[in-house]
């Protein structure tokens, strides 16, 4: 994949990482309390806070400027001056700040939504290839700077004999199959896991903080769930299956390294007959799950 200029790439990675932290709930995983007042650009908290603080500042300035004349005013004139200094900034300044911050909030929401749309595959509603790889790279870079590097795993999931589905049943049926596969994958993952469409019929799954045995169980649950799905376009049964290559890590690494390792395992799964999971390290003990339920 072509590399973007460093400043642009950095801004994109930071933006996508912030979306990931907010979208998938990783804020809680980093020890930030959810009950704190939300002062983000898309929140009403910032609109209210800036409106109140700004209005109080306007009122304080009005009283400060007029205070030099207060000693020379009669009690009635003093009362009128004080009411003017209170309500004029309150009505004019408060209204102006509220409308201004409301418009800024709308722009921030629109920018956030556009960023999410730009990072999403329109067919399957999962991350697209660029967003997926950038988020994984940003996560690995972020955790490499921590004292205790997190573990994790990467899966590459490839639909078996997908070309024949398009050839026999048409591209519309192929699109439907991809949507079903993406839905099945998401159904077996946690909220903090990433899933993206990284090729025509290939999906990537990144699971932070999991060990190899758990990763294998997740991969196997995905494979079995897809195998047992009912896919009958036009009333013609068409069993779906996937081959999955996976790798785990427990120290500093890069996206290129874990992707290459998982890709090699995917080729192994394909060469061994498809519809199976091949995982690295090879010492992982396959422990069949008694059911196809979601693995957390």
């Amino acid at each position: 994949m072509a590399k973007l200029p460093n400043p642009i790439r950095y801004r994109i990675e930071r933006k996508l990482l912030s979306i990931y932290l907010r979208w998938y709930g990783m804020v809680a995983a980093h020890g930030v309390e959810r009950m704190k007042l939300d002062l983000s650009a898309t929140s009403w908290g910032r609109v209210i806070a800036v409106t109140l603080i700004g209005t109080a500042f306007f009122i304080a300035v009005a009283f400060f400027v007029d205070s030099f004349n207060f000693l020379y005013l009669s009690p009635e004139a003093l009362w009128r001056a004080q009411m003017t200094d209170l309500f004029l900034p309150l009505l004019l300044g408060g209204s102006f700040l509220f409308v201004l911050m409301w418009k800024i909030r709308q722009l921030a929401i629109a920018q956030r939504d556009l960023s999410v749309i730009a990072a999403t595959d329109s067919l399957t509603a999962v991350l697209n290839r660029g967003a997926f790889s950038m988020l994984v790279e940003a996560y690995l870079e972020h955790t490499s700077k921590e004292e205790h590097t997190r573990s994790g795993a990467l899966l590459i999931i490839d639909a078996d004999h997908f070309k024949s589905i398009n050839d026999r049943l048409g591209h519309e049926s192929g699109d439907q199959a991809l949507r079903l596969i993406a839905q099945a994958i998401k159904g077996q993952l946690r909220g903090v896991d990433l899933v993206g469409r990284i090729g025509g019929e290939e999906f990537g799954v990144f699971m932070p903080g999991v060990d190899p045995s758990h990763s294998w169980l997740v991969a196997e649950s995905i494979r079995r769930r897809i195998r047992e799905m009912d896919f009958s376009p036009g009333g013609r049964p068409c069993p779906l299956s996937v081959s999955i290559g996976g790798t785990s890590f427990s120290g500093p690494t890069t996206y290129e390294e874990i992707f290459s390792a998982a890709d090699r395992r995917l080729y192994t799964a394909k060469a061994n007959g498809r519809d199976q999971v091949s995982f690295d390290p090879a010492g992982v003990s396959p422990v069949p799950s008694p059911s196809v339920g979601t693995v957390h």
Side-chain angles (χ1 to χ4, degrees):
M1 184 173 61
K3 294 291 185 180
L4 294 172
N6 287 335
I8 299 176
R9 179 182 175 81
Y10 178 81
R11 288 198 296 270
I12 294 175
E13 285 183 354
R14 295 305 98 189
K15 183 66 177 176
L16 287 173
L17 183 58
S18 68
I19 294 172
Y20 171 56
L21 294 178
R22 184 177 302 279
W23 192 8
Y24 288 93
M26 285 292 285
V27 172
H30 284 271
V32 179
E33 297 179 7
R34 290 182 178 272
M35 295 306 294
K36 285 185 177 180
L37 179 62
D38 184 7
L39 295 179
S40 63
T42 59
S43 70
W44 279 107
R46 176 177 289 193
V47 175
I48 296 172
V50 172
T51 300
L52 292 177
I53 294 172
T55 302
F57 174 77
F58 290 156
I59 293 174
V61 169
F63 269 90
F64 175 76
V65 172
D66 271 0
S67 63
F68 298 101
N69 299 321
F70 284 168
L71 295 176
Y72 307 104
L73 299 178
S74 64
E76 184 178 352
L78 176 62
W79 182 83
R80 286 198 300 269
Q82 291 175 336
M83 291 300 99
T84 301
D85 291 342
L86 174 63
F87 287 105
L88 191 62
L90 184 64
L91 295 175
L92 296 182
S95 300
F96 169 76
L97 286 174
F98 179 81
V99 172
L100 175 64
M101 294 307 300
W102 176 54
K103 289 295 185 182
I104 292 176
R105 175 179 178 269
Q106 287 183 316
L107 289 174
I109 292 175
Q111 183 183 25
R112 180 198 62 188
D113 292 344
L114 286 174
S115 299
V116 172
I117 292 172
T120 302
D121 176 63
S122 59
L123 176 63
T124 59
V126 299
L127 293 171
N128 59 34
R129 181 186 179 94
F132 179 81
S133 61
M134 281 188 180
L135 284 173
V136 176
E137 288 173 352
Y139 177 88
L140 295 174
E141 179 185 351
H142 175 74
T143 55
S144 67
K145 300 174 183 177
E146 296 182 350
E147 183 177 353
H148 301 290
T149 303
R150 294 175 178 268
S151 60
L154 176 70
L155 308 177
I156 300 180
I157 303 167
D158 186 84
D160 295 331
H161 307 293
F162 184 75
K163 186 177 183 301
S164 67
I165 296 177
N166 282 333
D167 293 341
R168 292 185 295 110
L169 304 175
H171 288 278
E172 184 176 347
S173 296
D175 291 347
Q176 182 184 355
L178 290 176
R179 285 191 289 265
L180 287 174
I181 291 173
Q183 183 179 356
I185 293 172
K186 290 189 291 185
Q188 305 304 309
L189 301 179
R190 306 166 300 169
V192 297
D193 297 331
L194 283 171
V195 56
R197 186 183 176 197
I198 59 176
E201 64 271 13
E202 274 191 352
F203 295 86
V205 172
F206 181 72
M207 297 178 287
V210 298
D211 58 45
S213 296
H214 183 89
S215 306
W216 189 92
L217 286 172
V218 173
E220 179 62 14
S221 72
I222 291 172
R223 185 196 67 80
R224 293 180 60 189
R225 181 70 186 91
I226 293 172
R227 184 63 178 174
E228 296 178 5
M229 284 193 310
D230 178 26
F231 179 58
S232 303
R236 291 175 291 179
C238 180
L240 296 176
S241 68
V242 294
S243 299
I244 302 177
T247 187
S248 62
F249 64 92
S250 59
T253 187
T254 64
Y255 176 70
E256 288 78 11
E257 290 176 354
I258 59 176
F259 183 88
S260 295
D263 198 42
R264 287 193 298 270
R265 284 293 172 177
L266 175 62
Y267 277 104
T268 300
K270 293 284 189 181
N272 289 341
R274 306 175 189 268
D275 190 21
Q276 59 184 266
V277 176
S278 178
F279 207 86
D280 185 23
V284 176
S285 306
V287 182
S289 176
S291 65
V292 188
T294 303
V295 177
H296 292 285

